[in-house]
Amino acid sequence: ISEPIKYFDDDRLFDYMDGAAEIPKSYSFKSLGSAKYQKSKDVKLEVAIFEMQSDEDAFGYYSIRVFLEHSPSSKDRLIPLDHPGHLYSNVGALTFWKGNYAIILQPEIGRPDDETLIAFAKKIASKIQDKGKLPASLTRLPTQDKVPGTERLVRGKAGFDAAITFMPKDTFQLNTRPAITAADYKLPGKAVTTFIATYRSEKEARTAFSAFRSILSPNATRADTVYGEFGRQKGCAAAISGSRLAVVIGLSDRSQASKFLPHLVSAVK
């Protein structure tokens, strides 16, 4: 350890993350411990351990971090830990979760090698007794054409805008705090995002469905389904059943959106 461990509670998280603290706070953040390790002047590694309220919260924050860290140049690969972790060899970082903890290993100086990162991750994981379970809501996501490792839990407007798509207005009634699961899908010539929002009541879900339907133009609507265009998104679709709303954004056109609708209908049943 190259310097004293620093601890941040909920009130002080902005001191560590500035404006980015809003996202972990939406996952019932409890505390953060940050330690820095250095063997040589060329490499310094930070270990940041986020303690959340539950294992679902930990997975949620981990999933958003992984999504935000991904880029065409990141070249991440999955590492077999208690739950698969994401290793970014070209920058020297590793992100994983276990129990109610989300753990970020990232360089402050230089680039730690893969062996060091994996050894740190295994050591930390061995200190956490509870493995934690994947959120059951992930099983509702359509499986066909889903890109492995892109599953994520989304909470709050900031998380939605960052991990799904930016919406200038709160079309999906995110102020009511629906539980949202999302994943990416690789279709012919197109990568798209699908999400399922579970609201506290059918009324809240219907309000969101109606608001989304109103911004699609032109649209083809039935009682519980809709598809059309939204801004630059040429193919969008949604299906509703009870308090669940499933939406796909980013399809090539309205025709592809209509063909994707059966997957959404199955997801909300």
Side-chain angles (χ1 to χ4, degrees):
I1 296 181
S2 62
E3 55 188 77
I5 300 174
K6 295 181 180 179
Y7 297 95
F8 302 85
D9 59 16
D10 184 68
D11 294 332
R12 295 185 56 236
L13 187 58
F14 282 100
D15 295 339
Y16 176 80
M17 303 182 70
D18 296 326
E22 185 175 345
I23 293 179
K25 286 170 75 72
S26 70
Y27 291 93
S28 302
F29 168 82
K30 293 180 66 178
S31 66
L32 164 67
S34 170
K36 296 178 181 178
Y37 299 81
Q38 186 170 21
K39 268 192 174 182
S40 69
K41 64 178 182 179
D42 298 323
V43 177
K44 181 186 285 189
L45 172 68
E46 180 192 13
V47 176
I49 301 178
F50 290 78
E51 181 187 13
M52 318 306 275
Q53 189 71 39
S54 68
D55 49 1
E56 181 172 302
D57 295 318
F59 170 82
Y61 183 52
Y62 152 83
S63 69
I64 291 296
R65 286 288 304 221
V66 166
F67 177 83
L68 296 177
E69 289 164 354
H70 179 76
S71 71
S73 61
S74 63
K75 298 179 181 178
D76 61 306
R77 62 187 175 98
L78 294 177
I79 300 299
L81 300 168
D82 294 273
H83 303 286
H86 284 253
L87 175 67
Y88 306 87
S89 297
N90 60 330
V91 296
L94 195 158
T95 302
F96 69 103
W97 75 284
K98 184 179 180 182
N100 62 318
Y101 297 92
I103 300 96
I104 319 296
L105 311 181
Q106 55 193 1
E108 183 165 295
I109 299 173
R111 182 175 63 84
D113 59 63
D114 292 358
E115 293 74 16
T116 298
L117 292 168
I118 294 171
F120 263 88
K122 290 182 176 180
K123 185 68 172 178
I124 294 167
S126 70
K127 303 289 186 180
I128 303 172
Q129 293 185 346
D130 183 22
K131 178 180 177 179
K133 296 181 180 179
L134 285 168
S137 58
L138 295 180
T139 61
R140 287 195 165 274
L141 289 166
T143 56
Q144 184 176 338
D145 300 316
K146 179 158 61 73
V147 179
T150 63
E151 301 88 349
R152 50 199 184 270
L153 294 188
V154 180
R155 292 181 183 165
K157 184 68 164 60
F160 187 94
D161 289 344
I164 297 181
T165 188
F166 175 76
M167 303 289 291
K169 296 182 179 180
D170 189 11
T171 302
F172 293 106
Q173 310 299 306
L174 301 174
N175 62 313
T176 64
R177 296 184 62 80
I180 299 176
T181 57
D184 296 334
Y185 292 78
K186 191 171 184 179
L187 303 180
K190 192 73 173 177
V192 303
T193 298
T194 294
F195 71 89
I196 302 170
T198 302
Y199 294 83
R200 292 175 299 183
S201 67
E202 182 175 351
K203 180 180 179 181
E204 291 179 353
R206 282 284 169 188
T207 299
F209 177 75
S210 297
F212 184 55
R213 180 176 56 194
S214 71
I215 65 174
L216 294 181
S217 179
N219 67 66
T221 304
R222 293 183 179 179
D224 297 325
T225 62
V226 62
Y227 65 89
E229 301 178 12
F230 159 56
R232 295 182 179 179
Q233 307 289 352
K234 300 303 180 183
C236 302
I240 186 173
S241 178
S243 61
R244 295 191 184 96
L245 172 65
V247 179
V248 62
I249 294 174
L251 294 164
S252 297
D253 50 37
R254 297 173 74 246
S255 175
Q256 195 177 47
S258 68
K259 293 177 182 178
F260 200 86
L261 262 177
H263 298 294
L264 303 182
V265 172
S266 297
V268 296
K269 284 184 178 178

